Amino acid sequence: MKPYEVYDKDGSYLAVLYVDFFPRKGKRAGAWMTEYQGQRITKEGKNIRPHVSLVMNFSKPTEDKPALLRLGEVTTFLHEFGHSLHGIFANSRFESQSGTNVWWDFVELPSQFMENFAVEKDFLRTFAFHYETGEPMSDELIEKIIASQNFNVAMACLRQVSFGLLDMAYYTQQEDLKEDIIPFEKKAWEKAIIGEQIDGTCMTTQFSHIMSGGYAAGYYSYKWAEVLDADAFSLFKKNGIFDQATAQSFRDNVLSKGSTEHPMVLYKRFRGQEPTIDALLERNGITKSN
Ligand SMILES: [Zn+2]
């Protein structure tokens, strides 16, 4: 684990960021962001800055090779780094409203937003060079990656929507459910099912997210976060992915605000309007920009 002190561009202190990149004996698998100390402002006006931890389990370097990351690892890093930025830039009075302490369907905006950079040529050209030849990644390879990510994406989209509908159907049920769950399930996600449903299959009984794991009536947040992150990133695509003014606005209106105001209020202040699904459809290759 490596600690970094993070300073703002004017030199003021922002946070400590601990990065823990590689697996070791006894370490939990997976990747996550957490805080050892949350941000808050004391009664005396002292801004207690956060201690943020970014944990990964990257492919380790070997004796003759540096750590060579797979695309999935880069994307996961960007995701957790997005959560870390939400923590690092936090600037709220109360810790309970600070940084990533936001509503369930808003917390993945900064993280999924950052994932967009993983397939941006101008971003990759800043660091992604062949470790032996120094060659940058070719445009052709980047385009192939995007095309493969979009393979069957409309099906995957409907699948997520169907799960969201099913989850909502259970949690908006007012009376005891007396009917068989198979027809209940079929009716609940009807709008998102395009193929024939196979007899004897039942998602409800194997879909642990619905009943445990904290998603109760919140499963839609996966898809909703995609709508938000694609819509937010589309503004960067328009203004330039490194555009300082757009980035500053994202920081000032979203990342630093935690849950001090309603997410839609914060979002609109950054974006100038409510999100639409247009950018997501375009990113997925379902529609083309005109
Ligand atoms: Zn996340």
Side-chain angles (χ1 to χ4, degrees), residues 52-66:
V52 175
S53 166
L54 170 56
V55 185
M56 303 287 302
N57 276 288
F58 280 156
S59 305
K60 271 183 162 175
T62 61
E63 255 167 46
D64 53 349
K65 278 194 187 121

Side-chain angles (χ1 to χ4, degrees), residues 62-158:
T62 61
E63 255 167 46
D64 53 349
K65 278 194 187 121
L68 299 172
L69 305 189
R70 291 177 282 114
L71 178 67
E73 293 178 314
V74 174
T75 309
T76 306
F77 167 75
L78 289 166
H79 181 104
E80 301 308 333
F81 189 65
H83 285 309
S84 303
L85 290 177
H86 209 179
I88 288 168
F89 288 136
N91 212 13
S92 306
R93 182 170 167 202
F94 299 107
E95 190 176 336
S96 59
Q97 293 183 328
S98 174
T100 55
N101 292 304
V102 297
W103 284 358
W104 187 273
D105 64 359
F106 198 55
V107 73
E108 297 299 337
L109 166 62
S111 53
Q112 293 188 186
F113 166 81
M114 287 304 295
E115 288 183 32
N116 285 282
F117 284 90
V119 290
E120 282 297 324
K121 287 171 198 164
D122 292 342
F123 174 67
L124 292 169
R125 299 266 145 78
T126 65
F127 72 95
F129 303 105
H130 192 282
Y131 81 106
E132 282 170 324
T133 64
E135 286 281 307
M137 220 182 259
S138 71
D139 286 3
E140 201 194 349
L141 179 61
I142 297 167
E143 271 143 34
K144 272 189 194 165
I145 291 168
I146 296 170
S148 70
Q149 283 179 338
N150 284 342
F151 178 69
N152 265 350
V153 77
M155 287 297 293
C157 170
L158 284 175

